[in-house]
Amino acid sequence: MGADPARIQLRPFEARHTAAVGELIVTIQREEFGFDIDLERQPDLSAIPAYYQRGAGNFWVALDQEQVIGTIALKDIGQHGVALRKMFVAADYRGAAWGVAMKLLHAALDWARQHAVRNVFLGTTEKFHAAHRFYEKHGFSQIDKTDLPASFPFMPVDTRFYLLNLRQTDASSPP
């Protein structure tokens, strides 16, 4: 069956997505990237509304006929900033033919703009080479860890950091 991006729906996280979100993320982390991690060591995934869905933050799922095939989150870290977290797309749904990652990122950035966010920060690992290219293609610039705000939620595996200044990207867009 060929890719049919029209059937992919983005929705804000609801409690009924909890198990599927955890399974998707942990499976990618462990099986694709070899991280020794489980759901218990990611307490944010069992408290998504309290952790992400507050202030300028939110958490979205990409669905293919109710199957969770992608996730993205923004965590409000104060001072008009958010941390982009938990961006994962199931292997079978990656690539331009599907556009799932791009849809997720655009939804999150549109939300951020609507909530007066100025800076989107993210941390990732050296292993996520495709993610590096994706973020850079979408305007993120690599920054040093010391350039992150004190409120940024560090993950032990993160060794590479990015910033997207929404004021700069919006200045190049028509009013």
Side-chain angles (χ1 to χ4, degrees):
M1 169 167 65
D4 182 5
R7 71 181 196 223
I8 304 303
Q9 302 293 314
L10 299 187
R11 299 278 184 262
F13 171 87
E14 297 176 12
R16 65 188 172 97
H17 301 128
T18 302
V21 163
E23 182 179 338
L24 173 73
I25 291 173
V26 171
T27 298
I28 292 170
Q29 291 170 326
R30 291 179 67 92
E31 294 180 11
E32 291 187 40
F33 294 101
F35 292 134
D36 179 22
I37 195 160
D38 55 25
L39 201 52
E40 289 72 34
R41 288 187 271 171
Q42 299 179 80
D44 58 319
L45 293 178
S46 61
I48 288 172
Y51 193 81
Y52 292 107
Q53 293 178 308
R54 38 189 316 137
N58 208 342
F59 193 109
W60 296 266
V61 293
L63 303 169
D64 182 357
Q65 300 177 13
E66 296 304 309
Q67 175 189 354
V68 174
I69 53 107
T71 63
I72 193 169
L74 295 178
K75 173 154 180 62
D76 189 331
I77 59 172
Q79 299 181 336
H80 301 282
V82 293
L84 189 149
R85 306 276 309 270
K86 303 300 183 187
M87 185 164 186
F88 290 94
V89 176
D92 291 346
Y93 292 89
R94 292 183 195 146
W98 283 103
V100 175
M102 190 169 59
K103 286 179 185 179
L104 286 164
L105 182 62
H106 286 192
L109 295 180
D110 287 347
W111 171 275
R113 286 181 183 97
Q114 292 167 15
H115 289 81
V117 169
R118 294 181 190 144
N119 293 306
V120 180
F121 298 93
L122 69 92
T124 188
T125 171
E126 291 299 326
K127 289 186 176 189
F128 293 170
H129 299 288
H132 304 162
R133 289 188 301 273
F134 177 80
Y135 294 130
E136 290 165 8
K137 177 181 171 183
H138 289 91
F140 285 82
S141 299
Q142 189 173 353
I143 60 172
D144 191 83
K145 181 178 180 178
T146 59
D147 295 327
L148 293 166
S151 58
F152 183 82
F154 286 100
M155 297 297 295
V157 296
D158 290 345
T159 55
R160 191 170 180 138
F161 303 94
Y162 286 91
L163 165 65
L164 177 66
N165 181 313
L166 292 178
R167 289 183 295 182
Q168 288 180 346
T169 59
D170 291 345
S172 62
S173 302

